[in-house]
Amino acid sequence: MQVLARSGSPTGPTRCTIARSRDWSCPSTVENGTCRWPRPSGRGLREERTLAKILIYGATGYTGRMIARRAAKRGLNFSVGGRDASKVVALSTELGVDGLVLDADDRIALGAAVAAADCVINAAGPFAATARQVIRACLDNSAHYIDITGEVGVFELAYSLDAEARDAGVMLMPGAGWDVVPSDCIALHVALRATGAEWLRIGLAHIHGVPSRGTLRTGSLIGNRKIVRRGGVLVDLDYSPPLVELNFGLRSFTCELLPMGDVVTAFKSTGIPNIAVYGPKSPASRMLEGGLEAFPEGPTKEQNARWRALALAEAKAADGRIVRSVIETGSGYEFTAAASIEIAERIAQGRYTSGFQSPASAYGVSLATELGGRITDLDGQSRPARSRA
């Protein structure tokens, strides 16, 4: 790990990098990527620190930069990390914060970097290549973990580490961006309206949405996994279910089954045992025919301004009613930056629940509406946004 520290604090391969902190200097050493300074029992935030520190890993990508700039705008105590030294230098200089050049596969360097943080925002996708390493570093160093993935495998991993995270006193929350904050919140909203529901269907759609290069790369790697939850258990189907027509209020879409993390998070937040996620067929394979590098890094400011993102949830209540609601937000990337920083701020304030959590299980339906989401129950009732984005 190369440390690009503004403070000029001494660092070395055996000294804990918390020594770079402006408010406290850790006297301990790092052993196998883990800081050996004693942690308060059952606490994720370290009592020795007076101001919680956030590490944004993958900060130099399209979405990572948006997250980092929002953190700076909100005056947070944070550092930025990534693999490309020139990009890390440029971003850390722009924002006036510490920059770390490190790779998720370098266990020692990653552990030292995480040991200096109270919370890590992982924005380095594809997350199948980074989440396991960063989560492990967080568990070993009593740091909270959030990311912005929608990849179902990452949610399965975090779910499996629930007990260990509880023991460590930290929260694991993949999906702290557009997927899955709005979809998880609308799922819980519908579940509260559909008492005794046994099945839940979630739809994801975008109007005028333009994917980033990173999103396209991840989409091309996810593949055609057909996964649902049945009887509370995740099931991989060996066939393709029929297409369904879903009405999102603003318009209808012909949708296919998607391998999204909501089959894990919606079960966590609602307890409904049968869940499937649908959306319009991904354009990733078609858009990548000309090569990934030929595609723009991400949408322009004007394209983000036109974007309307929709998440639908429908369930059948015990009395037979079909309950349907939709949440609308603006740009998925702008929402992701706002949501991930909002959650990190709440963690810094001590507002978290240890273990694996979904956005709605930790913070309720209001998380999405406080970030500007507008919920419409498709019987005509509407809940106005209270925007913080």
Side-chain angles (χ1 to χ4, degrees):
M1 175 180 66
Q2 182 182 357
V3 180
L4 308 170
R6 296 191 308 130
S7 62
S9 300
T11 60
T14 61
R15 185 173 180 180
C16 178
T17 53
I18 295 178
R20 292 193 338 276
S21 170
R22 298 180 179 86
D23 59 333
W24 187 72
S25 181
C26 179
S28 188
T29 59
V30 173
E31 180 182 332
N32 293 327
T34 301
C35 174
R36 294 307 176 188
W37 182 254
R39 301 289 189 254
S41 176
R43 289 289 303 277
L45 296 176
R46 302 176 186 130
E47 293 179 350
E48 300 91 346
R49 301 288 299 282
T50 60
L51 181 62
K53 181 71 172 283
I54 300 165
L55 168 63
I56 304 173
Y57 180 63
T60 61
Y62 178 81
T63 312
R65 292 196 306 274
M66 294 178 73
I67 294 171
R69 287 166 180 155
R70 187 171 184 87
K73 182 178 179 180
R74 296 191 66 81
L76 303 185
N77 181 24
F78 71 101
S79 59
V80 296
R83 295 185 301 174
D84 189 311
S86 63
K87 292 181 179 179
V88 171
V89 169
L91 185 62
S92 63
T93 301
E94 173 196 335
L95 301 179
V97 299
D98 291 351
L100 303 164
V101 181
L102 72 158
D103 192 303
D105 290 327
D106 186 338
R107 181 169 176 264
I108 302 300
L110 180 64
V114 172
D118 298 297
C119 174
V120 177
I121 300 175
N122 182 11
F127 295 89
T130 64
R132 183 177 298 276
Q133 301 93 308
V134 181
I135 289 174
R136 173 45 53 198
C138 287
L139 291 173
D140 288 346
N141 291 284
S142 299
H144 302 281
Y145 174 88
I146 63 180
D147 70 29
I148 56 172
T149 190
E151 300 165 46
V152 64
V154 176
F155 294 90
E156 292 177 278
L157 169 65
Y159 188 92
S160 74
L161 295 170
D162 174 66
E164 187 175 353
R166 290 177 186 273
D167 289 343
V170 300
M171 183 167 75
L172 305 180
M173 185 183 287
W178 193 89
D179 196 60
V180 296
V181 172
S183 51
D184 196 43
C185 290
I186 199 66
L188 178 57
H189 173 76
V190 163
L192 293 172
R193 297 178 63 221
T195 305
E198 287 294 314
W199 63 262
L200 172 69
R201 183 161 61 182
I202 295 171
L204 309 173
H206 300 271
I207 299 174
H208 305 305
V210 178
S212 72
R213 191 183 300 160
T215 299
L216 288 173
R217 180 184 293 110
T218 298
S220 69
L221 296 174
I222 287 177
N224 296 316
R225 187 178 181 187
K226 306 297 182 183
I227 186 168
V228 298
R229 187 173 291 275
R230 288 182 175 172
V233 178
L234 290 177
V235 176
D236 281 286
L237 305 180
D238 58 3
Y239 63 93
S240 296
L243 300 179
V244 297
E245 190 77 11
L246 295 181
N247 179 4
F248 287 78
L250 289 180
R251 59 175 288 189
S252 294
F253 293 87
T254 300
C255 298
E256 64 177 352
L257 189 70
L258 298 180
M260 302 302 291
D262 300 272
V263 292
V264 178
T265 54
F267 181 63
K268 173 69 176 180
S269 59
T270 71
I272 295 176
N274 301 290
I275 303 169
V277 185
Y278 288 83
K281 185 173 178 60
S282 170
S285 58
R286 175 178 54 82
M287 299 180 82
L288 289 175
E289 289 176 357
L292 181 63
E293 297 308 316
F295 200 83
E297 185 182 22
T300 64
K301 182 177 180 180
E302 293 72 24
Q303 288 170 326
N304 276 322
R306 297 180 62 211
W307 192 331
R308 293 295 176 268
L310 305 168
L312 169 76
E314 57 182 25
K316 185 176 182 180
D319 61 8
R321 291 179 300 115
I322 302 296
V323 176
R324 301 173 63 248
S325 299
V326 67
I327 184 167
E328 177 187 348
T329 74
S331 161
Y333 296 112
E334 293 180 349
F335 186 94
T336 291
S340 57
I341 289 300
E342 172 67 22
I343 292 168
E345 284 192 85
R346 294 187 184 198
I347 291 172
Q349 296 162 1
R351 298 166 60 192
Y352 64 88
T353 302
S354 298
F356 168 75
Q357 299 295 331
S358 73
S361 73
Y363 300 116
V365 175
S366 64
L367 174 63
T369 57
E370 288 172 3
L371 288 163
R374 184 184 185 90
I375 292 177
T376 300
D377 299 330
L378 295 179
D379 54 5
Q381 295 181 342
S382 178
R383 286 166 172 72
R386 291 180 289 166
S387 178
R388 291 190 58 182

